[in-house]
Amino acid sequence: MRPLILALACVFAFCLAAPAARAEIEVNVNRGDLQPLPIAVPAFGGQQGADIAQVISANLQRSGLFRPLDPAGYLERDINIAVQPRFNDWKQISAQALVNGQVTVEGGRLRVDFRLWDVYAEQQLLGLQFTSSPENWRRVAHKISDAVYERLTGEKGYFDTRVVFVAESGPRAKRIKRLAIMDQDGANPSYLTDGSYIVMTPRFSSNTQEITYMSLRPEGSAIYLFNLETGRRESLGSFQGMVFAPRFSPDGGRVAFSVERGGNSDIFVMSLASRASTRLTSDPSIDTSPSFSPDGARIAFNSDRSGSPQIYVMGADGSNPRRISFGQGRYTTPVWSPTGEFIAFTKQTGGQFHIGVMRPDGSDERLLTSSYLDEGPTWAPNGRVLMFSRETPGGAPRLWSVDVTGRVLQPMPYPGSGSDPAWSPLLN
């Protein structure tokens, strides 16, 4: 499996131009009527320069905040990173921002220098250099994408990340479910289990090196920890009843999960250091899908204690549970955003399923999607985009994404069938 920890060095390289003033171009990500910013990303010079530029362009376009221009319309060709661009040529094709770069390989190391330009102000906004091993050129492209995104929006990017999910194949009656992982753009997929047993609800730890998931075998269910770097797999232990829906605490030191016994399920939390578990709920109902707030102080969860599945929030010790969802329909799979601003959820109303968000107090509920079956949202680490699985009648589930405005809805590039996605934090 491709290692997650890479030798990536980042050096500020402003020696090529005068220090940048504040950008005259700025993408306001909170405007509902946002028009994507026209941006030019010509092929970088050197080995794999065209590939790197293509990945950057695709990342920015998928965000919905940028509109990469067609290279066929470029007037300036073979742009040199050591020379200022011919700004008038880029203005003529309505480019507001320009990204150009150079790739070199020296001593077996890949070096990528790039510059971000404000075309109309005719000034450099950013100049950086990344080094890595040549096979990790895609990660360099993702890091450049993050740098451009942050400089122009003021928010952290989310492109240098990975997604763990359940890859599905075969007929519905004999569906094979394997634990899988890929880059956020669908590249470099690999499979972590062989499909001989069912896997469900994989979740990332905050250190990006460990995941937890549920396995279901004929003899019962179990929750596992899996180290992506070493390949080591270990069980959290034996429980009386079925265990499911695990999720890490923000510090990675605990795992919350549900245990079902005799038709009733409750939420437990386990310390990974001591392996001691504590029961957090004891209501005679189904309590499941725990999700910690970013500060670890509260847990959102799903419960039918009011007669139908709804979203509740309680202290991380199980104290003061209170219902926060009051709209019509059934609410499930709550997950707290990394910023703490929203809780995402799946909602069923009539014959439709939706991905939605609400504030942690239940206010400002917004439905972002609607289809035959949308479920299982997960947040990008900047809290701007959600990924989920979508299924059509008679079809297999596919991975989709939507931004928090609901404006940018699109299928993910991964070509196969997948469900239960979980987004990693930004990689180191």
Side-chain angles (χ1 to χ4, degrees), residues 183-327:
D183 296 350
Q184 57 78 28
D185 62 352
N188 299 311
S190 61
Y191 304 95
L192 309 178
T193 59
D194 61 9
S196 61
Y197 55 92
I198 293 174
V199 295
M200 299 174 67
T201 59
R203 301 290 181 253
F204 263 103
S205 173
S206 57
N207 66 13
T208 76
Q209 294 302 305
E210 200 164 39
I211 59 175
T212 183
Y213 66 95
M214 169 199 171
S215 74
L216 183 60
R217 306 172 188 260
E219 60 269 25
S221 65
I223 292 174
Y224 284 91
L225 302 179
F226 184 88
N227 189 296
L228 293 168
E229 187 174 3
T230 66
R232 182 186 178 194
R233 181 183 289 106
E234 60 178 316
S235 169
L236 285 188
S238 300
F239 297 87
Q240 182 182 356
M242 177 177 286
V243 291
F244 56 101
R247 193 182 293 271
F248 285 101
S249 61
D251 63 5
R254 295 167 290 163
V255 172
F257 54 92
S258 295
V259 179
E260 187 273 333
R261 298 169 183 160
N264 177 58
S265 67
D266 283 298
I267 295 171
F268 290 71
V269 65
M270 174 182 284
S271 164
L272 296 180
S274 66
R275 295 303 171 97
S277 60
T278 303
R279 182 174 177 173
L280 300 184
T281 64
S282 57
D283 194 270
S285 59
I286 296 175
D287 297 332
T288 187
S289 301
S291 175
F292 285 92
S293 60
D295 61 5
R298 292 176 290 171
I299 293 176
F301 66 102
N302 177 224
S303 177
D304 66 355
R305 61 184 63 188
S306 61
S308 65
Q310 300 293 332
I311 298 173
Y312 289 74
V313 170
M314 64 181 172
D317 59 357
S319 60
N320 303 316
R322 62 185 182 87
R323 179 177 168 180
I324 65 168
S325 63
F326 290 95

